[in-house]
Amino acid sequence: MDAYWNHNTAYHPLLVADARRRGGRVLDIGCGEGLLLERLAPYAGEVVGIDPDGRVIGRARQRLAAVTNHSLMEGDFVATSLTAFGGRFETITCVAALHHMDLRLALLRMRELLSPGGKLLVIGLAANKTLTDMVLSGLAVLPIRVMDRFHGAAHDIGVRIAEPKEALHEIRRTAREVLPGVVVRRRFYYRYLLSWTKPQADEREA
């Protein structure tokens, strides 16, 4: 199956490079049709993907048919048990999927599944609710259109989409409550990057 470029896959090199430093096990939440898993697999001991859409999980199985170190699960990340996959993960990625879930519950679950010293990396979408949000998004329209044309952006890849509910300042507030020391930065392509390294001794799990 072919690769493609869009506002989400633009961040795949960053995610793969970061996960490569740790190796081990990687969980991709909202894995869609599996392109990120395919790119992570050569640098991980195991890659696991979960998505609630059985149709795109079927497409992921086709894409990853020759990848021997992958596992896939159809289900709601917050509600589905992952005990069948055993243990925790050195890296957890979540690209354009967090806004489909309850923000606090999803972040709590991510923290639970992350190994001590592991890294959580979220590429997310936020709602424009403040004047700053609207101005910055407006200023980005023209350069993003140029980049879309340059890369031949594939905007419709046949996966579920939803409008984000929380603004960036709301996401930061909740993330800081759940993940002390988290960094949430606005990025290009109407995205933000949330990154958090789990302490070796997580007081909330003691």
Side-chain angles (χ1 to χ4, degrees):
M1 296 176 70
D2 293 334
Y4 53 87
W5 186 95
N6 61 26
H7 297 169
N8 297 322
T9 67
Y11 291 98
H12 283 188
L14 180 154
L15 300 176
V16 171
D18 203 305
R20 184 176 185 176
R21 298 189 189 106
R22 286 173 300 282
R25 308 179 73 226
V26 180
L27 172 64
D28 185 30
I29 301 162
C31 65
E33 51 75 70
L35 179 57
L36 179 56
L37 288 171
E38 182 181 39
R39 290 171 168 173
L40 287 164
Y43 310 109
E46 180 185 15
V47 291
V48 176
I50 182 169
D51 197 286
D53 187 338
R55 183 174 50 85
V56 296
I57 284 288
R59 291 167 57 195
R61 289 196 176 97
Q62 293 177 6
R63 177 181 287 281
L64 300 169
V67 176
T68 59
N69 62 334
H70 86 278
S71 300
L72 292 167
M73 174 179 284
E74 177 186 348
D76 180 332
F77 168 68
V78 174
T80 301
S81 171
L82 296 179
T83 55
F85 297 110
R88 293 178 176 176
F89 298 88
E90 280 65 46
T91 302
I92 296 177
T93 58
C94 181
V95 179
L98 183 55
H99 65 287
H100 289 258
M101 300 175 268
D102 181 280
L103 177 62
R104 182 179 296 274
L105 291 179
L107 291 176
L108 285 167
R109 189 86 194 283
M110 292 173 190
R111 188 185 73 196
E112 174 191 350
L113 290 170
L114 197 63
S115 297
K119 186 84 166 281
L120 169 64
L121 295 160
V122 175
I123 300 296
L125 287 77
N128 290 329
K129 292 186 179 180
T130 69
L131 180 59
T132 298
D133 295 336
M134 296 173 190
V135 168
L136 291 176
S137 290
L139 290 173
V141 169
L142 182 57
I144 287 175
R145 285 181 178 172
V146 171
M147 295 304 290
D148 284 353
R149 182 175 292 273
F150 176 78
H151 287 286
H155 292 295
D156 183 3
I157 58 167
V159 299
R160 294 178 183 176
I161 60 173
E163 292 297 322
K165 302 177 291 295
E166 295 93 358
L168 191 60
H169 70 276
E170 296 170 321
I171 294 165
R172 280 199 180 106
R173 182 176 62 240
T174 300
R176 287 168 179 167
E177 292 170 359
V178 176
L179 310 170
V182 70
V183 176
V184 182
R185 291 196 174 101
R186 194 187 302 269
R187 298 297 296 263
F188 200 49
Y189 301 121
Y190 314 115
R191 300 298 188 264
Y192 66 84
L193 170 62
L194 180 157
S195 60
W196 183 67
T197 300
K198 187 172 185 174
Q200 290 292 339
D202 191 338
E203 294 179 357
R204 301 189 184 204
E205 295 186 0

